[in-house]
Amino acid sequence: MKSFKSISMLAVVLLCAVSLFAKSEGVVIEPNSPENPFLSTSWDCKGTTLFEFSEDGKMTYGFSEVSYKLKKIDESYELTFKVGPVKSVVTLENKDSTTAICKTKSKTMITMVCTKN
């Protein structure tokens, strides 16, 4: 009976750990999906339009088209892209947010607040 209790407790702990791990991973959203909150938007960071998105989900950073990965984690969205050696992560609190946090990692971490134009 004691070992059954131990096995049951272990199963519950593993189930909780798996569900927490699954939550943190998020769901990948395709760029051209209607679920993409960035479609047809442009984002201004520090007075300059830093990145913009077309109707079909293509992203332009500066003058170049850039590929990106978009995940939905709970209610927020996390967009990751890389330009050369510099990686950026843009976090949108929810689908209707008009501000996003952009963290860029090169030699140091730069954090900017970006607003939807």
Side-chain angles (χ1 to χ4, degrees), residues 3-107:
S3 72
F4 178 72
K5 242 182 179 177
S6 297
I7 291 172
S8 296
M9 285 299 286
L10 181 62
V12 168
V13 169
L14 286 174
L15 186 60
C16 288
V18 168
S19 67
L20 283 174
F21 178 73
K23 265 188 169 180
S24 67
E25 285 296 308
V27 177
V28 175
I29 297 174
E30 292 300 316
N32 60 353
S33 167
E35 287 288 314
N36 183 346
F38 291 97
L39 290 178
S40 302
T41 61
S42 63
W43 295 82
D44 182 64
C45 305
K46 293 191 174 187
T48 305
T49 298
L50 192 58
F51 48 92
E52 51 194 337
F53 299 84
S54 64
E55 291 175 359
D56 61 357
K58 291 183 179 165
M59 177 183 176
T60 305
Y61 180 85
F63 298 106
S64 304
E65 190 174 304
V66 178
S67 62
Y68 62 94
K69 184 176 181 181
L70 179 62
K71 289 197 278 186
K72 182 175 183 186
I73 303 169
D74 295 326
E75 292 300 311
S76 65
Y77 294 83
E78 183 179 274
L79 183 140
T80 307
F81 65 97
K82 195 171 182 182
V83 176
V86 180
K87 181 180 177 183
S88 296
V89 177
V90 179
T91 305
L92 196 62
E93 190 174 307
N94 62 51
K95 192 170 183 134
D96 299 320
S97 293
T98 57
T99 59
I101 303 297
C102 179
K103 292 184 179 186
T104 301
K105 176 77 172 148
S106 55
K107 292 182 182 190

